[in-house]
Amino acid sequence: MKKAFVAFLFVLFATLAVATVTEQQANSSLQDAQTAIAEMNAAHFGITQVSDIFILLNYSYVNKNYENALTRTADIQAIHDRAFQINDSLLIFEDKMQKYAAAGLN
């Protein structure tokens, strides 16, 4: 997951360095954002913040501000990745607590 995010950021920054973002790239980023939000929703995470960012992303896309659309997608992807990292950490913590409880430690 981290490798995909790093690759995404590399592509994003490389695209921004050229300073010409095509409509196709912006459309792809819009779809990536929708996928990230759907994954968060399927995992029962709160999606209010990313949904609000998506509204801004869509507004940027409709108004042909493709650079801003890519930036908003990166914001959504960062929140998505962080949410799953935190969830993984909590699952590990819960597992450790159960092991301690099974060993008779409170």
Side-chain angles (χ1 to χ4, degrees):
M1 188 181 317
K2 278 188 174 181
K3 290 181 182 179
F5 180 66
V6 170
F8 174 77
L9 285 179
F10 178 77
V11 171
L12 176 66
F13 289 128
T15 304
L16 291 177
V18 174
T20 40
V21 178
T22 66
E23 182 177 0
Q24 182 180 5
Q25 290 169 318
N27 186 26
S28 176
S29 104
L30 187 88
Q31 292 172 0
D32 291 344
Q34 287 175 322
T35 300
I37 293 170
E39 288 174 0
M40 290 179 69
N41 194 33
H44 305 289
F45 296 154
I47 59 168
T48 303
Q49 183 180 14
V50 290
S51 295
D52 290 346
I53 295 170
F54 185 80
I55 291 168
L56 298 173
L57 185 162
N58 195 41
Y59 181 79
S60 296
Y61 180 78
V62 168
N63 289 307
K64 300 185 185 301
N65 185 351
Y66 301 138
E67 291 85 6
N68 194 39
L70 290 179
T71 301
R72 300 292 184 188
T73 300
D75 294 343
I76 290 171
Q77 191 64 44
I79 293 168
H80 167 275
D81 292 344
R82 186 68 181 139
F84 278 96
Q85 286 174 347
I86 290 169
N87 187 58
D88 291 346
S89 296
L90 290 173
L91 291 175
I92 291 169
F93 179 73
E94 180 181 14
D95 185 48
K96 286 182 181 181
M97 292 302 293
Q98 289 175 353
K99 287 179 183 177
Y100 291 143
L105 300 173
N106 189 354

